[in-house]
Amino acid sequence: MSRARRRSAPPPPHRSVLAGFLSLLGELLITLGLVLGLFVAYSLWWTNVLADRQASARGDEVRQRWQTPAPAASTPDRPGALDTQDGIGFLHVPAMKNGEVLVKTGTDPEVLNDGVAGYYTEPVKSALPWDDKGNFALAAHRDGHGAKFHNIDKVKNGDAIVFETKDTWYVYKVFADLRQTSKYNVDVINPVPKESGRTAPGRFITLTTCTPVYTSKYRYVVWGELVRTEKVDAKRTPPAELR
């Protein structure tokens, strides 16, 4: 091409200010999407990993303590009084397919975030399984931090809920659920949870968690009633419901 022809060629077009802004905006949105994706992965996966490790370690400690002879001043007929800080026992709900769940005192985030279930101490105080009457009311996360109650919607009437202490298996049978209620509805954990259909005192268990999944807008509730207890044998043979 001749020098004259090169001189007559038009200059390359300049990008407009709007085009530059849109390009920058697109890059920022992509970056934001990556950050949000990492946050979701952390919240829904990595917190589960950390919580499961923590809960497993605490659970091992509780079982090792159970194998140690109790001090003379302890009360073996009330196993929960021995280690309420580290865990009073293990919850087993076969329908949830979540293995054993360590149960500790309280339902504050710093308790539940360790991948455990906690029993209520407020606004209504939970009974404990060995009490003559009352409602053993528990809460756990449905997503993140172990997500121990993630599959609560799989639990149906007639299913078993088993609570394991140092010396006793407490076997409950599910009889009712409430798939959505206000998170401020504390009546569901009353000693006699009338929304379950029961009107007289008994020995109940209540499982509560957030719903819908990945939100905390409402509460999902499952109720069971004690049907029997079994003494733990030397081999810790589980009841038939867990075999």
Side-chain angles (χ1 to χ4, degrees):
M1 183 182 293
S2 68
R3 181 181 300 176
R5 191 169 181 180
R6 287 200 300 271
R7 288 175 179 171
S8 63
H14 294 288
R15 290 175 52 179
S16 68
V17 174
L18 178 60
F21 172 76
L22 291 177
S23 177
L24 177 61
L25 179 61
E27 293 175 1
L28 290 174
L29 289 175
I30 291 172
T31 302
L32 179 61
L34 290 173
V35 171
L36 290 175
L38 290 172
F39 176 75
V40 170
Y42 170 80
S43 298
L44 301 182
W45 175 70
W46 187 242
T47 61
N48 285 343
V49 173
L50 296 178
D52 285 343
R53 288 177 182 172
Q54 180 83 356
S56 179
R58 298 292 80 76
D60 289 345
E61 291 174 2
V62 171
R63 291 195 178 281
Q64 289 172 6
R65 190 175 299 113
W66 284 357
Q67 295 174 4
T68 303
S74 67
T75 53
D77 59 320
R78 295 181 61 82
L82 301 178
D83 48 26
T84 56
Q85 294 302 314
D86 295 320
I88 64 168
F90 297 89
L91 182 74
H92 305 262
V93 187
M96 286 198 206
K97 301 184 185 303
N98 60 350
E100 63 182 32
V101 180
L102 181 65
V103 174
K104 300 181 69 174
T105 307
T107 56
D108 292 335
E110 56 265 30
V111 175
L112 302 186
N113 287 356
D114 285 343
V116 305
Y119 66 84
Y120 286 86
T121 57
E122 57 181 2
V124 178
K125 187 176 181 180
S126 170
L128 293 174
W130 44 88
D131 292 337
D132 292 335
K133 300 290 181 182
N135 187 4
F136 183 36
L138 306 172
H141 286 301
R142 199 172 183 189
D143 54 82
H145 302 287
K148 296 305 181 182
F149 285 1
H150 183 78
N151 291 327
I152 195 171
D153 58 309
K154 307 299 184 185
V155 182
K156 308 300 182 187
N157 286 359
D159 285 348
I161 298 175
V162 179
F163 186 70
E164 175 191 3
T165 68
K166 180 179 180 180
D167 59 5
T168 306
W169 300 94
Y170 297 84
V171 182
Y172 299 83
K173 182 178 180 180
V174 174
F175 65 88
D177 62 46
L178 183 58
R179 293 177 174 262
Q180 182 174 296
T181 188
S182 169
K183 59 184 177 181
Y184 304 108
N185 182 3
V186 299
D187 291 345
V188 299
I189 61 172
N190 280 343
V192 180
K194 293 185 178 179
E195 288 181 84
S196 72
R198 294 297 191 262
T199 58
R203 298 174 73 176
F204 306 111
I205 189 169
T206 301
L207 311 182
T208 69
T209 193
C210 297
T211 198
V213 179
Y214 310 124
T215 73
S216 58
K217 188 174 183 180
Y218 301 106
R219 291 292 179 269
Y220 195 117
V221 186
V222 169
W223 289 287
E225 189 165 20
L226 188 73
V227 293
R228 74 178 191 280
T229 63
E230 294 184 13
K231 287 297 181 182
V232 172
D233 62 23
K235 295 182 179 180
R236 299 201 74 84
T237 306
E241 290 80 359
L242 300 183
R243 297 175 202 164

